Amino acid sequence: SDPATVLAQPPPHHMLRATPRRFARGLAFGRRPHVRPPPPPPPPSFVTQSGVPELSLFSVVGANMVVHAFWQDRRWQPFMHRHFVLSLESVRRRRWHTMITSAFSQLSPSHLLTNMVMLSFFGLSLPRRLGVPAFATLYLAGSVVSSSAWLAEQQTLRDRTSALRERAEIQAAGCVGASGAVAACVTGACILDPGRRVYLFFLVPIPAIGFAGLYVLSDFWGLLAAAHDPGGSAVAHSGHLGGALAGAAFVGLMRVAGRVR
């Protein structure tokens, strides 16, 4: 039979029963069936409006501020010294969590302000480009690696001295601060966007990768100076370098794996 004649004929009766009534009526009379448009998307919630990636960064900043507030209360200071200060003694007593909790501890407001400004300036794009879980991993990895680097330096200093008093002082010496984790975020952000313009001392424009290089060189120079005068500086340059190395390695692996947006 002619294909045009077959297409013009209505479908068999059993096919009409198997289809919805309105759709079958449209086929029987040669009309296009009425298709309802899809429902409109739901309005954006507060989380999607404010942005989950940015909220993750501000959550880290908020956690540092909360820990700093606890440090200001004398009633909490024995607890904070026990669980939020990294030292050879704390690790010897198996308080391994201090390798992370110490990276949320700043004793002075100026220390807190400096670290959080650096984290907010360089780390604002990290959660969106890496993803929230990867950003959290970067911060925690920077904390652990920087803590490990500082502990290795302290253990080396302790092994070099034979005086019991000095060995005890090195054993009990504590370290706090988010600088190592922030260093991981700074170097990671500079590797992700090496051509980004950064103003050194708020005056001299340099590319981000150049700032990262100066950042690492300054800590390396400080580490060499501390080796000749162990008590001359209270800055944990080894922790900064460990955090910077962790950030560079982590973001480099993310780039190789194609996980960077």
Side-chain angles (χ1 to χ4, degrees), residues 30 46 74 87 90 153 194 196 227 245:
F46 170 77
R74 292 183 179 180
S87 66
S90 67
E153 179 193 13
R196 176 186 178 185
L245 177 62

Side-chain angles (χ1 to χ4, degrees), residues 229-245:
D229 185 12
S233 175
V235 179
H237 295 288
S238 58
H240 295 180
L241 291 172
L245 177 62

Side-chain angles (χ1 to χ4, degrees), residues 126 130 138 184 188-189 191-192 246-256 260:
L126 289 177
L130 299 178
L138 172 63
I191 291 175
L192 280 179
F250 184 85
V251 174
L253 291 175
M254 292 284 287
R255 272 192 176 278
V256 171
V260 178

Side-chain angles (χ1 to χ4, degrees), residues 13-97:
H13 187 67
H14 69 277
M15 289 184 62
L16 296 180
R17 289 183 177 180
T19 56
R21 183 176 300 176
R22 183 175 299 177
F23 188 74
R25 188 182 301 123
L27 287 178
F29 290 95
R31 299 193 304 267
R32 294 184 60 186
H34 176 71
V35 179
R36 293 183 179 180
S45 63
F46 170 77
V47 174
T48 57
Q49 286 178 346
S50 56
V52 173
E54 286 74 14
L55 279 180
S56 64
L57 172 66
F58 297 140
S59 297
V60 173
V61 175
N64 279 268
M65 295 176 66
V66 169
V67 173
H68 175 72
F70 275 102
W71 273 109
Q72 309 312 306
D73 191 338
R74 292 183 179 180
R75 297 171 298 178
W76 282 93
Q77 286 191 1
F79 175 86
M80 302 300 290
H81 277 285
R82 181 177 179 84
H83 295 288
F84 283 82
V85 177
L86 177 68
S87 66
L88 289 175
E89 183 65 20
S90 67
V91 173
R92 188 184 72 82
R93 294 180 179 272
R94 298 184 179 181
R95 294 199 292 267
W96 306 104
H97 56 278

Side-chain angles (χ1 to χ4, degrees), residues 99-100 139-149:
M99 298 181 70
I100 294 178
Y139 188 91
L140 296 178
S143 305
V144 172
V145 176
S146 64
S147 296
S148 302

Side-chain angles (χ1 to χ4, degrees), residues 157-242:
L157 292 176
R158 184 179 181 275
D159 294 340
R160 283 180 178 178
T161 182
S162 57
L164 294 179
R165 183 176 178 179
E166 291 184 7
R167 289 170 67 92
E169 290 177 353
I170 295 173
Q171 181 80 14
C175 179
V176 294
S179 302
V182 172
C185 295
V186 169
T187 54
C190 292
I191 291 175
L192 280 179
D193 194 2
R196 176 186 178 185
R197 182 177 297 177
V198 177
Y199 288 88
L200 186 64
F201 303 117
F202 302 99
L203 294 174
V204 183
I206 60 173
I209 194 65
F211 178 85
L214 292 175
Y215 190 83
V216 171
L217 284 176
S218 65
D219 278 308
F220 186 73
W221 181 264
L223 184 63
L224 292 179
H228 295 283
D229 185 12
S233 175
V235 179
H237 295 288
S238 58
H240 295 180
L241 291 172

